[in-house]
Amino acid sequence: MTPPARAASPGQTLLSAKELAFLVVTVLFWAAFVIVLGKDTSWDFRNYHWYAPYAFLNHRQALDVVVAHQASYYNPFLDIPFYWLATHTHAWIALGVLGAVQGANVVPLYLIAREGLRIPDRKIGAGALALLGQAGALTLSMFGTSYYDNVMSVFVLAGLAILILGRETLRTGSPARAAGLAGAAGFITGCAFGLKLPEMPFCIGFAAALLALGGSLRQQGVRLLAGGIAGLLGFALFSAWWMLHIKALTGNPLFPYFNEYWHSPLVLASPYRDMRFIPIHFWRQLLFPVLFSVDWHVADDLGFQDIRVLVAYLTVIPAALIWLLRRESGDALLDKRVTLPLFAFAAVSYFVWLRFFAIYRYIILLEMLAPILIVAAVGLFPLPRRTRYLVLAALGFAILVTARSDFLERAPVEDPYIQVALPPIANPDKTMVLMTGDEPLGFLAPSLPHQIPILRIDGWMVQPKDGTLLTRTMQSRVAAHLRNGGALYLIADATDMGRARNALADYGLAIRWTECQQFDTNIVGTYQWCPVSRKT
């Protein structure tokens, strides 16, 4: 039997010219891949990823009302870079940069795999695992989209890679050096949480990985303290100001979420969270990876078919039990000092995600990490090395042949990035626009004259008869606008005009149907532009 290749010394980060070339070519490939796919037309992009940075940069928080439903109050900092690129450069440049950033996940994936593998041709194996990690069904579908879960994964995986590469320093090094490494990794991970709150489970998983590195109680305490403080600083950097701003605006720093605790007077005392997917019963919780691997509707609104998270789930659990019983193989395929923090990170992150979100795309990072986890788990099985290779080959083949990516509809790569064929507006200084329905309309807002206020009087978050202060405020603003002789217009999805009519009727308004005009965009959809007047 060929003896396993010895890994480089722990913490080695220097990359050879061939490795650098591999990583650069991979990142450039994903940039080109995104350009070929075209523009994102997803529901979330049309709802708030284009509107949120526009509203922030143009100080519209006090002018518009719930244009993007609940997402009107999301932290816009994550969306600003792409919005700036798309409005100041060519569309293909913005898409290429987005693809390159999303493709950069290959770097920490490669470094983690290279550091841990104990096989011949370790670098080739690490490259294969990194590429396989980026070929997950939903990972592929999300390239070029603005969900950004595969952008935040770059931050979190980079923090995890720092822990893996610096594990010896973190476990036995001087407290100052250990604190420095833990702080750097914690800060990066905290930044991801600050930019996107659903990254929270990975912060808990990061803490579990810090503990799993071992060492004395003093070392563990230093790591946790440094990583925790730095993580909070990273979170505060991108979220503190925004949360204080939203609290001053609404009375709830997470508005409208968890309003049963914050009691903002603007909306109902309800959680406003999407809890459709969270499993309640024990057996459903236990079998959740099986359920969402068989039917994606169980855990997401985005279609996919991929069993890699399920395979990781079904191999890591028995591998951990074998390890605890000290029955594991004597020549593991992945360094056990790498395996333990990876297992701890993945298990804790998954458990917290299951309890709080259970939306599959929020754990797209685990889809990327799954190939490495599977190799680590199977590598612990007390079987001959050749048998374990055969098992891994069979599992890899099953994962690849059963995977299916349901790519979202894309739009052509053309300039300007968003173009809306709105009818001319005679007097924008005295115009107010109302929106109705559940459809995403936020991406239309930047194409309107900037002085026009936009109020969504009906949608996911508010309805005309909900009795909230937010609705009463909008009713007062509409009435005052009409008293001052202002013009009132409706924008609604062309297929949802019945709901628009009913919502306006609750405001004492009526559509002037004969004057309605349809318009479209260079993204997707057909919309109605209708003058509105008092109901007689």
Side-chain angles (χ1 to χ4, degrees), residues 328-447:
E328 78 278 8
S329 172
D331 63 334
L333 301 182
L334 206 77
D335 188 332
K336 294 178 185 178
R337 292 170 298 177
V338 172
T339 298
L340 185 56
L342 287 180
F343 279 9
F345 171 81
V348 172
S349 298
Y350 172 82
F351 178 77
V352 176
W353 165 84
L354 186 69
R355 298 300 300 268
F356 281 88
F357 301 109
I359 298 173
Y360 182 82
R361 67 179 172 87
Y362 289 172
I363 54 164
I364 200 72
L365 182 153
L366 294 185
E367 185 180 272
M368 297 180 195
L369 200 59
I372 300 175
L373 293 171
I374 294 167
V375 170
V378 173
L380 290 172
F381 290 174
L383 300 170
R385 179 171 278 251
R386 184 181 298 275
T387 303
R388 282 176 282 160
Y389 285 158
L390 291 174
V391 170
L392 286 172
L395 292 175
F397 179 77
I399 289 169
L400 290 175
V401 299
T402 57
R404 186 195 74 246
S405 296
D406 292 346
F407 286 97
L408 300 171
E409 182 181 351
R410 307 294 175 115
V413 181
E414 59 186 11
D415 296 317
Y417 200 89
I418 298 293
Q419 188 170 21
V420 180
L422 274 166
I425 300 172
N427 193 352
D429 290 333
K430 292 189 176 181
T431 297
M432 175 182 285
V433 167
L434 307 181
M435 290 180 170
T436 61
D438 293 335
E439 291 301 307
L441 304 172
F443 79 108
L444 304 172
S447 298

Side-chain angles (χ1 to χ4, degrees), residues 169-244:
T169 298
L170 288 164
R171 192 170 70 89
T172 61
S174 68
R177 293 185 65 194
L181 277 179
F187 180 79
I188 295 171
T189 307
C191 287
F193 181 26
L195 285 166
K196 186 162 185 173
L197 297 183
E199 298 300 303
M200 177 270 292
F202 297 118
C203 294
I204 311 300
F206 174 83
L210 279 175
L211 286 174
L213 289 170
S216 66
L217 288 176
R218 181 188 179 194
Q219 289 290 114
Q220 291 180 329
V222 167
R223 292 198 304 261
L224 279 175
L225 186 62
I229 292 174
L232 288 174
L233 290 174
F235 171 80
L237 176 65
F238 289 107
S239 234
W241 181 88
W242 181 254
M243 292 175 70
L244 291 172

